Amino acid sequence: MFNIGIVGAQFMGRAHTNAWFDVDRFYDLPFQIVMKAACDIDPASEKDFASRLGWQTFETSWGNLIKREDIDIIDICTPNNTHMPVAVAAAKAGKHIICEKPIAMDADEARQMLDAAEAAGINHMVAFNYRRVPAIALAKQLIEDGKLGKIYHFNAVYYQDWLVDPDFPWVWRHDAKLAGSGAHGDMNAHTVDLARYLVGEIESVCGEAKVFIDRRKMAKTGQISIVTADDATSFLAQFAGGASGNFMGTRFATGRKNFLRLEIFGSRGSLVFNLERLNELEYYSRDDQLAEQGFKNVLITENQHPYMHKWWPPGHIIGWEHTFIHEIGDFLKAIAENKKIKPDFYDGYKCQLILDTVLRSAKERKWLEVPV
Ligand SMILES: NC(=O)c1ccc[n+]([C@@H]2O[C@H](COP(=O)([O-])OP(=O)(O)OC[C@H]3O[C@@H](n4cnc5c(N)ncnc54)[C@H](O)[C@@H]3O)[C@@H](O)[C@H]2O)c1
């Protein structure tokens, strides 16, 4: 039996709860999963979240949750400034940890988390759920099989538009002291992780970070607060393998709600992924007969596609929430088999080093090498 303790009872708390609830119905695990305790500083979450979604007990202090001997795994779904203290304490208490992205406020914190987790010998994972979209996992296989040849370009855009409204209130995501960064740590963290996963390490970057609306009203008090975290960050990148990267993460892409698109161009072929059509992967191969060459749209719902044997007959699509079931299922499988899981705190740390270097580059207005 494995007892889970989750910290953070809003957006990600709900997405992860859905996965904890479903995971052993679709993954063949050698132990039972118990949704033992939920924790949030907001006491209203006891009723709205814990009892409603099936958590057995509730805590308002993460310190108390971690002290509990009946908890085996800590799932961190709180704002970014809490990830490091919660994870370091949980590692010291010998709990396995899954932590939301970005792993931390900066690379120094991420390094402390990695060191604590490795010293404790626990299993640790960063919740970069997009690695576990079946189409992305298939893209990884195609790239590893050499179907794209030498990769020349990795282009990634992650667009949202919820901040275009000047009346959208100030939230923790606007405060660099609570979030570390804004669109950058939130959205570019995902695409940087996907870039490392699919193409390899990034060696140097040149970035630009913008705040378009620098004051917003607090929802409850109406007081004006300063926005200190970026609304949008773009950057160019050079990969160790020679590819060029082009990234943009923005909350000011009017009309785009959660639009994540990757384009990977290689010497033998190309791939295009669009999160709004997550059951599909566009693939172009120069190995096709000349007369037949063109992008084809592959529907990723066959049993032999990554993860799809766990779900429905061919053609029956899955959704965004399934990616969390895949990540939590793989995490539990790794624990059961005493194996390491990826992406782990090392990947979170490497991603954070790149993110930090982009913001430094934007400030200094020049290309910078990512520290090795
Ligand atoms: N993987 C993804 O696609 C994805 C999407 C959104 C957010 N995230 C990440 O998930 C994390 C949480 O984001 P969210 O959107 O769920 O935030 P949220 O604001 O919706 O929820 C955060 C919750 O944490 C609680 N909280 C804050 N401080 C706390 C503390 N000290 N102890 C206990 N509870 C505390 C808040 O009361 C709130 O209920 C962030 O790191 C974010 O970057 C990941």
Side-chain angles (χ1 to χ4, degrees):
M1 195 186 291
F2 260 89
N3 290 333
I4 317 303
I6 194 168
V7 199
Q10 280 299 320
F11 179 26
M12 278 306 106
R14 284 166 194 272
H16 285 218
T17 297
N18 181 60
W20 290 117
F21 184 80
D22 256 351
V23 69
D24 53 5
R25 291 161 176 80
F26 295 94
Y27 271 70
D28 196 10
L29 297 169
F31 40 67
Q32 197 198 335
I33 296 302
V34 181
M35 289 167 47
K36 197 74 185 175
C39 167
D40 198 286
I41 38 168
D42 179 1
S45 302
E46 178 160 24
K47 183 164 162 274
D48 300 346
F49 178 80
S51 24
R52 186 159 165 236
L53 298 189
W55 293 93
Q56 288 180 0
T57 56
F58 182 74
E59 304 278 354
T60 47
S61 146
W62 60 259
N64 287 347
L65 177 75
I66 284 166
K67 272 191 217 138
R68 282 175 57 161
E69 287 184 1
D70 61 349
I71 300 293
D72 305 300
I73 295 176
I74 293 288
D75 181 3
I76 304 173
C77 296
T78 41
N80 308 340
N81 64 325
T82 60
H83 293 185
M84 187 277 282
V86 178
V88 168
K92 285 186 178 156
K95 322 280 190 202
H96 301 294
I97 308 166
I98 176 164
C99 178
E100 261 306 337
K101 48 50 61 179
I103 183 172
M105 299 285 281
D106 55 37
D108 283 348
E109 281 196 4
R111 182 77 221 197
Q112 290 176 55
M113 292 166 71
L114 172 61
D115 289 347
E118 288 290 297
I122 50 124
N123 236 313
H124 43 97
M125 183 181 206
V126 180
F128 285 120
N129 54 308
Y130 294 134
R131 282 197 190 200
R132 288 177 162 83
V133 173
I136 298 272
L138 180 66
K140 169 82 171 165
Q141 281 175 16
L142 294 172
I143 291 169
E144 281 185 348
D145 290 348
K147 300 278 190 204
L148 263 56
K150 182 173 167 51
I151 294 179
Y152 294 127
H153 291 288
F154 179 89
N155 295 344
V157 293
Y158 201 157
Y159 296 149
Q160 296 178 351
D161 75 348
W162 51 285
L163 289 187
V164 167
D165 177 0
D167 294 328
F168 190 94
W170 188 96
V171 291
W172 66 265
R173 289 180 155 84
H174 293 121
D175 188 344
K177 291 210 172 87
L178 299 176
S181 64
H184 189 48
D186 193 16
M187 297 145 83
N188 289 339
H190 275 299
T191 51
V192 165
D193 180 66
L194 291 174
R196 289 188 61 249
Y197 178 57
L198 295 170
V199 180
E201 291 301 345
I202 288 173
E203 282 186 334
S204 56
V205 292
C206 182
E208 187 208 34
K210 294 284 261 193
V211 175
F212 292 112
I213 297 180
D214 65 357
R215 268 146 233 263
R216 287 182 186 269
K217 275 192 191 156
M218 311 281 283
K220 280 191 187 144
T221 61
Q223 253 186 329
I224 300 289
S225 259
I226 308 286
V227 173
T228 52
D230 56 292
D231 289 328
T233 293
S234 311
F235 64 99
L236 299 174
Q238 281 299 315
F239 287 83
S244 292
N246 202 333
F247 296 74
M248 182 190 249
T250 177
R251 294 164 171 163
F252 275 72
T254 308
R256 293 296 193 197
K257 304 303 167 186
N258 193 43
F259 184 91
L260 165 55
R261 180 180 165 94
L262 307 179
E263 294 178 320
I264 311 169
F265 301 118
S267 58
R268 281 183 67 194
S270 302
L271 292 170
V272 177
F273 170 75
N274 175 356
L275 181 63
E276 288 181 352
R277 307 188 69 90
L278 71 72
N279 292 275
E280 298 168 19
L281 186 65
E282 285 183 55
Y283 174 41
Y284 178 100
S285 175
R286 292 186 66 225
D287 297 335
D288 288 347
Q289 295 284 335
L290 198 54
E292 293 168 11
Q293 277 180 17
F295 271 96
K296 59 185 165 207
N297 203 16
V298 185
L299 187 64
I300 316 295
T301 57
E302 297 291 331
N303 267 341
Q304 64 269 33
H305 287 138
Y307 295 104
M308 291 312 291
H309 62 283
K310 296 184 187 304
W311 301 106
W312 322 119
H316 292 70
I317 55 176
I318 61 164
W320 177 80
E321 67 275 28
H322 293 77
T323 64
F324 295 91
I325 300 175
H326 298 160
E327 84 184 357
I328 280 175
D330 289 353
F331 178 57
L332 292 169
K333 207 160 154 274
I335 293 172
E337 293 169 0
N338 203 15
K339 287 187 179 152
K340 290 199 174 234
I341 180 80
K342 296 295 255 177
D344 60 7
F345 284 5
Y346 174 77
D347 296 297
Y349 166 65
K350 292 292 280 187
C351 176
Q352 196 65 54
L353 273 177
I354 296 163
L355 296 175
D356 289 3
T357 310
V358 170
L359 289 185
R360 218 161 26 89
S361 141
K363 216 168 174 182
E364 296 176 20
R365 303 189 69 77
K366 62 180 187 200
W367 277 89
L368 289 178
E369 302 290 317
V370 177
V372 178

